[in-house]
């Protein structure tokens, strides 16, 4: 069931409206991709909070621009740059990699893609490589169980 600004999961009620709207958007996309509701909500909430950390509220950059303090200027340009690149950054939130079970072992795949980056005989080998990729590319690695459920994630 798709959610909207008026009808959303109860677990999202305490999120700031801006973060909640992003979480709803992500959760709906995950539902479209075939994720279960519970998983969609959990992933979307975490990703929306991460997005919020990386995308300051535009109003604060507006108040920075009216400030006479020289210290606010670097912050202003950095948040302005982020705001202009938001669509790219939003799609970057899908740069996660996943360690997933396959018919013949384990694989690492990019989020939203069907092809595997690499395959392994064991989960341990796949997780080790995912840790390296996560650190090198500064992306999150999401580790799944044999049944496909998310077990953990590795944040660089």
């Amino acid at each position: 069931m798709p959610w909207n600004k008026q009808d959303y999961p109860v677990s999202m009620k305490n999120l700031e409206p801006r973060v909640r709207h992003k979480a709803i958007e992500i959760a709906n996309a995950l539902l479209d991709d075939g994720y279960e509701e519970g998983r969609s909500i959990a992933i979307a909430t975490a990703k929306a909070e991460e997005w919020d950390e990386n995308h300051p509220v535009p109003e604060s950059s507006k108040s920075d621009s009216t400030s006479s303090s020289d210290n606010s200027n670097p912050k202003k340009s950095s948040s302005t740059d982020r705001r202009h690149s938001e669509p790219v950054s939003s799609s970057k939130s899908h740069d996660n990699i996943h360690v997933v079970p396959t018919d013949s072992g384990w694989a690492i795949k990019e989020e939203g893609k069907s092809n595997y980056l690499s395959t392994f005989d064991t989960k341990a080998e796949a997780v080790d490589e995912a840790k390296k990729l996560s650190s090198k590319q500064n992306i999150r690695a999401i580790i799944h169980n044999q049944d496909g459920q998310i077990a953990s994630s590795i944040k660089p």
Side-chain angles (χ1 to χ4, degrees):
M1 166 181 152
W3 294 293
N4 58 48
K5 291 178 182 181
Q6 291 76 36
D7 181 24
Y8 51 83
V10 174
S11 61
M12 292 182 184
K13 72 177 182 178
N14 291 326
L15 296 174
E16 291 180 36
R18 176 176 184 261
V19 177
R20 183 173 49 243
H21 300 305
K22 189 66 168 179
I24 291 166
E25 175 187 325
I26 295 168
N28 285 333
L30 290 170
L31 285 176
D32 288 344
D33 286 346
Y35 283 79
E36 297 173 349
E37 278 192 18
R39 287 180 65 203
S40 296
I41 294 167
I43 294 168
T45 301
K47 295 305 289 179
E49 288 172 341
E50 182 181 325
W51 170 84
D52 185 51
E53 290 174 14
N54 295 321
H55 296 85
V57 177
E59 289 79 13
S60 68
S61 63
K62 286 179 188 172
S63 67
D64 285 346
S65 66
T66 60
S67 170
S68 61
S69 169
D70 288 337
N71 291 340
S72 69
N73 286 339
K75 186 174 183 176
K76 178 188 161 223
S77 66
S78 119
S79 59
T80 301
D81 292 343
R82 283 190 194 125
R83 191 172 65 237
H84 288 300
S85 65
E86 188 170 317
V88 173
S89 295
S90 293
S91 57
K92 262 188 107 173
S93 70
H94 297 290
D95 284 347
N96 296 329
I97 55 172
H98 292 254
V99 173
V100 296
T102 68
D103 292 337
S104 59
W106 291 84
I108 297 175
K109 65 177 243 168
E110 291 177 291
E111 194 166 292
K113 306 271 173 110
S114 57
N115 295 336
Y116 300 134
L117 292 174
S118 49
T119 57
F120 303 88
D121 292 330
T122 68
K123 182 177 182 178
E125 292 172 320
V127 170
D128 286 344
E129 182 62 23
K131 286 178 183 177
K132 291 176 191 171
L133 287 170
S134 171
S135 177
K136 182 179 176 182
Q137 297 178 15
N138 196 30
I139 57 176
R140 185 181 300 266
I142 300 171
I143 315 302
H144 294 258
N145 289 330
Q146 184 66 42
D147 64 2
Q149 296 289 321
I150 293 176
S152 62
S153 70
I154 301 164
K155 188 174 182 179

